Amino acid sequence: MEKKQIKIYGDPVLRKKAYEINEITPEIKTLISDMTRIMLQAPGIGLAAPQVGVSKRLIIVTFGLDEDRPHPRPLINPEILWHSDQKEEMEEGCLSLPGITGDVARWTDLVVCATDSNGIRSEFDVHGITARIIQHEMDHLDGVLFIDRITLKRQDVIKRRLDRQQTKTQALV
Ligand code: CO
């Protein structure tokens, strides 16, 4: 099987809407362990399946960062059932956009529904950094990148820089 790698900005898979997962097959279980390994190696605190070239609704999220006991957890077909009115701004980065950061406003509290690797669907509350990671990763499932959520002026600067980087890479091929 082809070795999975993190897809970088410019790859069309990052702009596609990902498909629901209907069954937890051995292939999905392998994808979960591959993605968890890739995320930890990067290192990162979240990863969405489209970032490894798989257009499926699966994300890996690091829970417990604010309690100093980080542990990665797969969320399959995640949905936001409720969110707070309150948003908080914080600097974000993305493994698919190396070297780029920007302030993004995200809801501070969520009620999320997702399926685990045993096929069990449940609802749970998340707050702070965990809620932020979930919103960032769920955006990836709809082809949205954090640079789409920062101020337009800064988007301009970043997108121009990214286009330049892409042209340079293409010139090398
Ligand atoms: Co990302």
Side-chain angles (χ1 to χ4, degrees):
M1 201 168 73
E2 190 200 340
K3 198 171 178 293
K4 287 195 185 66
Q5 274 186 338
I6 294 177
K7 304 290 180 188
I8 303 299
Y9 181 85
D11 193 309
V13 72
L14 294 173
R15 289 305 197 180
K16 274 171 59 180
K17 190 173 160 67
Y19 294 97
E20 292 251 328
I21 293 171
N22 299 317
E23 201 191 336
I24 318 292
T25 57
E27 205 182 24
I28 295 292
K29 293 209 177 193
T30 306
L31 179 60
I32 290 172
S33 53
D34 284 351
M35 281 175 59
T36 306
R37 180 177 37 80
I38 291 167
M39 184 192 81
L40 293 172
Q41 269 171 7
I45 52 175
L47 190 67
Q51 289 184 279
V52 295
V54 180
S55 202
K56 293 196 167 131
R57 304 190 82 79
L58 161 65
I59 61 178
I60 310 292
V61 174
T62 305
F63 281 69
L65 274 172
D66 40 4
E67 296 142 41
D68 237 14
R69 43 172 204 97
H71 52 286
R73 214 171 113 179
L75 304 183
I76 298 163
N77 301 332
E79 280 176 274
I80 294 173
L81 301 180
W82 176 89
H83 63 79
S84 54
D85 291 333
Q86 202 199 346
K87 283 189 175 184
E88 201 172 64
E89 260 198 26
M90 199 177 134
E91 193 174 63
E92 289 188 13
C94 179
L95 294 173
S96 296
L97 292 152
I100 309 266
T101 56
D103 286 338
V104 185
R106 304 278 191 190
W107 295 311
T108 53
D109 309 276
L110 308 174
V111 178
V112 175
C113 185
T115 302
D116 69 14
S117 53
N118 299 313
I120 303 193
R121 197 152 179 88
S122 59
E123 286 179 29
F124 47 91
D125 293 355
V126 284
H127 314 279
I129 185 74
T130 316
R132 174 172 297 272
I133 301 169
I134 290 177
Q135 289 166 82
H136 177 116
E137 301 312 330
M138 281 184 66
D139 269 353
H140 277 300
L141 303 183
D142 293 323
V144 175
L145 300 170
F146 84 87
I147 52 168
D148 304 328
R149 295 199 182 274
I150 59 183
T151 61
L152 282 177
K153 205 174 146 197
R154 188 145 156 74
Q155 263 185 40
D156 245 33
V157 176
I158 288 178
K159 284 183 174 160
R160 242 180 292 140
R161 206 168 107 199
L162 284 165
D163 286 343
R164 262 207 311 276
Q165 275 175 12
Q166 250 191 300
T167 327
K168 242 191 276 167
T169 326
Q170 279 158 0
L172 288 171
V173 173

